[in-house]
Amino acid sequence: MDDRMMKAVLYDRYGGPDVLSVGRVPRPEPASGEVLVKVRAFSVNGAELAARSGRLRLLTGRRFPQRVGLDFTGEVAALGAGAARLAVGDRVWGVLGRTSGFGSAAEYVAVPAERVGRVPDGLDLVEAAALPVATTAVTALRDSTGLRPGERLLVRGAAGGVGNAAVQLGRAFGAEVTALARAANLDFVRGLGAHRAVDHRSVRPADLGRFDVVMDTVGTGLPAFRRLLNPGGRMVTIALDPEHPAVSLGYLAAGLLHGRGRVRFFSGNPVQRHLDDLAGHVVEGRLRPAVDTVFPLEETAAAHRALEAGGVRGKYVVRVA
């Protein structure tokens, strides 16, 4: 077999999960400052679903085939010039940068060395693939909102990939955590540390009470949740309304004109220091991976279909090798 080629998940048109297939593409070579990672696993993220369906075609364009995969775990297979911080064989994880697009759903990925960190010893690489996006929760809660011990935290989409990490970290940071999730997932989020778990379909936002911090991973109904903030409260969202993204963007832009209580939009773009910080939370027991189901590479389409169906508990992970 030609070792200059590798398996990768591709699609040659926009559409549903069925447009995905496993094909062969040239294996990348690490440029100066890059590392080549032999990918062991990656997770499925909402942004990939939006891109694959064509909802982001203004950004992704019409050149095909296109790739999927945003995060990854694996081992360093080769080093580009200047990438001396790491060694071949190191167990690493990372998230592709905003300018890199997608492409970690493959046997190998070449990334800048500053975009990877070492996976904690003893953490399985497949399970670890559920965690790189948790850097978003760390930064949103600790850095963007400044969550403090004793404050009341509301997490929307608490059973999802970022939401489950926000519940765990909110509890670890000393907050009183209320988790909104589907009825079937309430025991799951309680097990993550939520003090209170509420079926999001059985309650109006106005009946939830008041909060110091609202962490939103859903993107809909932002004004109603903003009204729940105490004086000096902070709200951060990592999502746009999937059906009306322009409305969400307009609301967030208008919110920049306000002071206290404005809604902040946050999009994770982790580099080494964020990933090393994440590893510290894992080692110290504040955060653990939550894996719903592991799929083989050839069933990436099934993983996309499952995420679109809703109800995930943690992350859907795809094992590459």
Side-chain angles (χ1 to χ4, degrees), residues 81-121:
R85 179 178 63 87
L86 297 163
V88 172
D90 281 352
R91 293 164 15 103
V92 295
W93 54 13
V95 180
L96 298 182
R98 291 173 182 159
T99 59
S100 302
F102 304 103
S104 66
E107 291 181 303
Y108 292 88
V109 62
V111 292
E114 67 268 18
R115 301 207 66 88
V116 302
R118 291 184 176 88
V119 175
D121 292 340

CSV table of all heavy atoms in Angstrom, one decimal, residues 81-121:
chain,number,residue,atom,x,y,z
A,81,ALA,N,10.8,21.1,11.0
A,81,ALA,CA,11.9,21.9,11.5
A,81,ALA,C,11.4,22.9,12.6
A,81,ALA,O,10.4,23.6,12.4
A,81,ALA,CB,12.6,22.7,10.4
A,82,GLY,N,12.1,22.9,13.7
A,82,GLY,CA,11.8,23.9,14.8
A,82,GLY,C,10.8,23.4,15.8
A,82,GLY,O,10.5,24.2,16.7
A,83,ALA,N,10.2,22.3,15.6
A,83,ALA,CA,9.2,21.8,16.5
A,83,ALA,C,9.8,20.9,17.6
A,83,ALA,O,9.6,19.8,17.8
A,83,ALA,CB,8.1,21.0,15.8
A,84,ALA,N,10.7,21.6,18.3
A,84,ALA,CA,11.6,20.8,19.3
A,84,ALA,C,10.9,20.5,20.6
A,84,ALA,O,11.4,19.7,21.4
A,84,ALA,CB,12.9,21.6,19.5
A,85,ARG,N,9.8,21.2,20.9
A,85,ARG,CA,9.1,21.0,22.2
A,85,ARG,C,8.6,19.5,22.4
A,85,ARG,O,8.5,19.0,23.5
A,85,ARG,CB,8.0,22.0,22.4
A,85,ARG,CG,7.2,21.9,23.7
A,85,ARG,CD,6.1,22.9,23.7
A,85,ARG,NE,5.2,22.8,22.7
A,85,ARG,CZ,4.1,22.1,22.8
A,85,ARG,NH1,3.9,21.3,23.8
A,85,ARG,NH2,3.2,22.0,21.8
A,86,LEU,N,8.3,18.9,21.3
A,86,LEU,CA,7.7,17.6,21.3
A,86,LEU,C,8.6,16.5,20.7
A,86,LEU,O,9.6,16.9,20.1
A,86,LEU,CB,6.4,17.6,20.5
A,86,LEU,CG,5.3,18.5,21.1
A,86,LEU,CD1,4.2,18.7,20.0
A,86,LEU,CD2,4.6,17.9,22.3
A,87,ALA,N,8.3,15.3,21.0
A,87,ALA,CA,9.1,14.2,20.5
A,87,ALA,C,8.2,13.1,19.8
A,87,ALA,O,7.1,13.0,20.1
A,87,ALA,CB,9.9,13.5,21.6
A,88,VAL,N,8.8,12.4,18.8
A,88,VAL,CA,8.1,11.4,18.2
A,88,VAL,C,7.6,10.4,19.2
A,88,VAL,O,8.4,10.0,20.1
A,88,VAL,CB,8.9,10.7,17.1
A,88,VAL,CG1,8.2,9.4,16.5
A,88,VAL,CG2,9.2,11.7,16.0
A,89,GLY,N,6.3,10.0,19.2
A,89,GLY,CA,5.8,9.1,20.1
A,89,GLY,C,5.0,9.8,21.2
A,89,GLY,O,4.2,9.1,22.0
A,90,ASP,N,5.1,11.1,21.4
A,90,ASP,CA,4.4,11.8,22.4
A,90,ASP,C,2.9,11.6,22.2
A,90,ASP,O,2.4,11.7,21.0
A,90,ASP,CB,4.7,13.3,22.5
A,90,ASP,CG,6.0,13.6,23.2
A,90,ASP,OD1,6.6,12.6,23.8
A,90,ASP,OD2,6.5,14.7,23.1
A,91,ARG,N,2.1,11.4,23.2
A,91,ARG,CA,0.7,11.3,23.2
A,91,ARG,C,0.1,12.8,23.3
A,91,ARG,O,0.4,13.5,24.3
A,91,ARG,CB,0.1,10.5,24.3
A,91,ARG,CG,0.4,9.0,24.2
A,91,ARG,CD,0.3,8.2,25.5
A,91,ARG,NE,-0.5,8.8,26.5
A,91,ARG,CZ,-1.8,8.5,26.8
A,91,ARG,NH1,-2.4,7.6,26.1
A,91,ARG,NH2,-2.4,9.1,27.8
A,92,VAL,N,-0.6,13.2,22.3
A,92,VAL,CA,-1.1,14.6,22.2
A,92,VAL,C,-2.5,14.7,21.8
A,92,VAL,O,-3.2,13.7,21.4
A,92,VAL,CB,-0.2,15.4,21.1
A,92,VAL,CG1,1.2,15.4,21.6
A,92,VAL,CG2,-0.4,14.7,19.8
A,93,TRP,N,-3.1,15.9,22.1
A,93,TRP,CA,-4.4,16.2,21.7
A,93,TRP,C,-4.4,17.7,21.2
A,93,TRP,O,-3.5,18.4,21.4
A,93,TRP,CB,-5.5,16.0,22.8
A,93,TRP,CG,-5.2,16.7,24.1
A,93,TRP,CD1,-4.3,17.7,24.4
A,93,TRP,CD2,-5.9,16.4,25.3
A,93,TRP,NE1,-4.4,18.0,25.7
A,93,TRP,CE2,-5.3,17.3,26.3
A,93,TRP,CE3,-6.9,15.6,25.7
A,93,TRP,CZ2,-5.8,17.3,27.6
A,93,TRP,CZ3,-7.4,15.6,27.0
A,93,TRP,CH2,-6.8,16.4,27.9
A,94,GLY,N,-5.4,18.1,20.4
A,94,GLY,CA,-5.5,19.4,19.9
A,94,GLY,C,-6.8,19.7,19.2
A,94,GLY,O,-7.6,18.8,19.0
A,95,VAL,N,-6.9,20.9,18.8
A,95,VAL,CA,-8.0,21.4,18.0
A,95,VAL,C,-7.5,22.2,16.8
A,95,VAL,O,-6.6,23.1,17.0
A,95,VAL,CB,-9.0,22.3,18.8
A,95,VAL,CG1,-10.2,22.8,18.0
A,95,VAL,CG2,-9.5,21.5,20.0
A,96,LEU,N,-8.0,21.9,15.6
A,96,LEU,CA,-7.5,22.6,14.4
A,96,LEU,C,-7.9,24.1,14.6
A,96,LEU,O,-8.9,24.4,15.1
A,96,LEU,CB,-8.1,22.1,13.1
A,96,LEU,CG,-7.7,20.6,12.8
A,96,LEU,CD1,-8.3,20.2,11.5
A,96,LEU,CD2,-6.2,20.4,12.8
A,97,GLY,N,-7.0,25.0,14.1
A,97,GLY,CA,-7.3,26.4,14.2
A,97,GLY,C,-8.4,26.9,13.3
A,97,GLY,O,-8.8,26.3,12.4
A,98,ARG,N,-8.8,28.1,13.6
A,98,ARG,CA,-9.9,28.7,12.8
A,98,ARG,C,-9.5,28.9,11.4
A,98,ARG,O,-10.4,28.8,10.5
A,98,ARG,CB,-10.2,30.1,13.4
A,98,ARG,CG,-10.9,30.1,14.8
A,98,ARG,CD,-11.0,31.5,15.4
A,98,ARG,NE,-11.6,31.4,16.7
A,98,ARG,CZ,-11.5,32.4,17.6
A,98,ARG,NH1,-10.8,33.5,17.3
A,98,ARG,NH2,-12.1,32.3,18.8
A,99,THR,N,-8.3,29.1,11.1
A,99,THR,CA,-7.9,29.3,9.7
A,99,THR,C,-7.6,28.0,9.0
A,99,THR,O,-7.5,27.9,7.8
A,99,THR,CB,-6.6,30.2,9.6
A,99,THR,OG1,-5.5,29.5,10.3
A,99,THR,CG2,-6.9,31.5,10.2
A,100,SER,N,-7.6,26.9,9.7
A,100,SER,CA,-7.2,25.6,9.2
A,100,SER,C,-8.5,24.8,8.6
A,100,SER,O,-8.3,23.9,7.8
A,100,SER,CB,-6.6,24.7,10.2
A,100,SER,OG,-5.4,25.3,10.7
A,101,GLY,N,-9.7,25.2,9.1
A,101,GLY,CA,-10.9,24.5,8.7
A,101,GLY,C,-10.9,23.2,9.3
A,101,GLY,O,-10.5,23.0,10.5
A,102,PHE,N,-11.5,22.2,8.6
A,102,PHE,CA,-11.7,20.9,9.2
A,102,PHE,C,-10.7,19.9,8.5
A,102,PHE,O,-10.1,20.2,7.5
A,102,PHE,CB,-13.1,20.4,8.9
A,102,PHE,CG,-14.2,21.3,9.5
A,102,PHE,CD1,-14.9,22.2,8.7
A,102,PHE,CD2,-14.4,21.3,10.9
A,102,PHE,CE1,-15.8,23.0,9.2
A,102,PHE,CE2,-15.4,22.2,11.4
A,102,PHE,CZ,-16.1,23.0,10.6
A,103,GLY,N,-10.5,18.7,9.1
A,103,GLY,CA,-9.7,17.7,8.4
A,103,GLY,C,-9.0,16.7,9.4
A,103,GLY,O,-8.2,15.9,9.0
A,104,SER,N,-9.4,16.7,10.7
A,104,SER,CA,-8.8,15.7,11.6
A,104,SER,C,-9.4,14.4,11.5
A,104,SER,O,-8.9,13.4,12.1
A,104,SER,CB,-8.9,16.3,13.0
A,104,SER,OG,-10.3,16.3,13.4
A,105,ALA,N,-10.5,14.2,10.7
A,105,ALA,CA,-11.1,12.9,10.5
A,105,ALA,C,-10.3,12.2,9.4
A,105,ALA,O,-10.7,12.0,8.3
A,105,ALA,CB,-12.6,13.0,10.1
A,106,ALA,N,-9.1,11.7,9.9
A,106,ALA,CA,-8.2,11.1,8.9
A,106,ALA,C,-7.1,10.3,9.7
A,106,ALA,O,-7.1,10.4,11.0
A,106,ALA,CB,-7.5,12.2,8.1
A,107,GLU,N,-6.3,9.6,9.0
A,107,GLU,CA,-5.3,8.8,9.7
A,107,GLU,C,-4.1,9.7,10.2
A,107,GLU,O,-3.5,9.3,11.2
A,107,GLU,CB,-4.8,7.7,8.8
A,107,GLU,CG,-5.8,6.6,8.5
A,107,GLU,CD,-5.3,5.6,7.6
A,107,GLU,OE1,-4.8,5.9,6.4
A,107,GLU,OE2,-5.3,4.4,8.0
A,108,TYR,N,-3.9,10.8,9.6
A,108,TYR,CA,-2.8,11.7,10.0
A,108,TYR,C,-3.3,13.2,9.8
A,108,TYR,O,-4.2,13.5,8.9
A,108,TYR,CB,-1.6,11.5,9.1
A,108,TYR,CG,-0.9,10.2,9.3
A,108,TYR,CD1,-1.2,9.1,8.6
A,108,TYR,CD2,0.2,10.1,10.3
A,108,TYR,CE1,-0.6,7.9,8.8
A,108,TYR,CE2,0.8,8.9,10.5
A,108,TYR,CZ,0.4,7.8,9.7
A,108,TYR,OH,1.1,6.6,9.9
A,109,VAL,N,-2.8,14.0,10.6
A,109,VAL,CA,-3.0,15.5,10.5
A,109,VAL,C,-1.8,16.2,10.8
A,109,VAL,O,-1.0,15.8,11.8
A,109,VAL,CB,-4.2,15.9,11.4
A,109,VAL,CG1,-3.9,15.7,12.9
A,109,VAL,CG2,-4.6,17.3,11.1
A,110,ALA,N,-1.4,17.2,10.0
A,110,ALA,CA,-0.3,18.1,10.3
A,110,ALA,C,-0.8,19.4,10.9
A,110,ALA,O,-1.7,20.1,10.3
A,110,ALA,CB,0.5,18.3,9.0
A,111,VAL,N,-0.3,19.8,12.0
A,111,VAL,CA,-0.7,21.0,12.7
A,111,VAL,C,0.5,21.7,13.3
A,111,VAL,O,1.5,21.1,13.6
A,111,VAL,CB,-1.7,20.6,13.9
A,111,VAL,CG1,-3.0,20.1,13.3
A,111,VAL,CG2,-1.1,19.6,14.8
A,112,PRO,N,0.3,23.0,13.5
A,112,PRO,CA,1.4,23.8,14.2
A,112,PRO,C,1.6,23.2,15.6
A,112,PRO,O,0.7,22.9,16.3
A,112,PRO,CB,0.8,25.2,14.2
A,112,PRO,CG,-0.2,25.3,13.1
A,112,PRO,CD,-0.8,23.9,13.0
A,113,ALA,N,2.9,23.2,16.0
A,113,ALA,CA,3.2,22.6,17.3
A,113,ALA,C,2.5,23.3,18.4
A,113,ALA,O,2.2,22.7,19.4
A,113,ALA,CB,4.7,22.6,17.4
A,114,GLU,N,2.3,24.6,18.3
A,114,GLU,CA,1.7,25.3,19.4
A,114,GLU,C,0.2,25.0,19.5
A,114,GLU,O,-0.4,25.5,20.5
A,114,GLU,CB,1.9,26.9,19.2
A,114,GLU,CG,1.2,27.5,18.0
A,114,GLU,CD,2.0,27.5,16.8
A,114,GLU,OE1,3.0,26.8,16.7
A,114,GLU,OE2,1.6,28.3,15.9
A,115,ARG,N,-0.4,24.2,18.6
A,115,ARG,CA,-1.8,23.9,18.7
A,115,ARG,C,-2.0,22.5,19.3
A,115,ARG,O,-3.2,22.0,19.3
A,115,ARG,CB,-2.4,24.0,17.3
A,115,ARG,CG,-2.3,25.4,16.7
A,115,ARG,CD,-3.5,25.6,15.7
A,115,ARG,NE,-4.7,25.7,16.4
A,115,ARG,CZ,-5.2,26.8,17.0
A,115,ARG,NH1,-4.6,27.9,16.8
A,115,ARG,NH2,-6.4,26.8,17.6
A,116,VAL,N,-1.0,21.9,19.9
A,116,VAL,CA,-1.2,20.6,20.5
A,116,VAL,C,-0.6,20.6,21.9
A,116,VAL,O,0.3,21.4,22.2
A,116,VAL,CB,-0.5,19.4,19.7
A,116,VAL,CG1,-1.1,19.4,18.3
A,116,VAL,CG2,1.0,19.6,19.7
A,117,GLY,N,-1.1,19.8,22.8
A,117,GLY,CA,-0.6,19.6,24.1
A,117,GLY,C,-0.5,18.1,24.4
A,117,GLY,O,-1.1,17.3,23.7
A,118,ARG,N,0.2,17.8,25.5
A,118,ARG,CA,0.3,16.4,25.9
A,118,ARG,C,-0.9,15.9,26.6
A,118,ARG,O,-1.4,16.6,27.5
A,118,ARG,CB,1.6,16.2,26.7
A,118,ARG,CG,2.9,16.4,25.9
A,118,ARG,CD,4.1,16.1,26.8
A,118,ARG,NE,5.3,16.2,26.0
A,118,ARG,CZ,6.0,17.3,25.9
A,118,ARG,NH1,5.6,18.4,26.4
A,118,ARG,NH2,7.2,17.3,25.2
A,119,VAL,N,-1.3,14.7,26.3
A,119,VAL,CA,-2.4,14.1,27.0
A,119,VAL,C,-1.9,13.5,28.3
A,119,VAL,O,-0.9,13.0,28.4
A,119,VAL,CB,-3.0,12.9,26.2
A,119,VAL,CG1,-4.1,12.1,26.9
A,119,VAL,CG2,-3.6,13.5,24.8
A,120,PRO,N,-2.7,13.7,29.4
A,120,PRO,CA,-2.3,13.2,30.7
A,120,PRO,C,-2.0,11.7,30.7
A,120,PRO,O,-2.7,11.0,30.1
A,120,PRO,CB,-3.4,13.6,31.7
A,120,PRO,CG,-4.1,14.7,31.0
A,120,PRO,CD,-4.0,14.5,29.5
A,121,ASP,N,-1.0,11.3,31.4
A,121,ASP,CA,-0.7,9.9,31.5
A,121,ASP,C,-1.9,9.1,32.1
A,121,ASP,O,-2.6,9.6,33.0
A,121,ASP,CB,0.5,9.7,32.5
A,121,ASP,CG,1.8,10.2,31.9
A,121,ASP,OD1,1.9,10.4,30.6
A,121,ASP,OD2,2.8,10.4,32.6
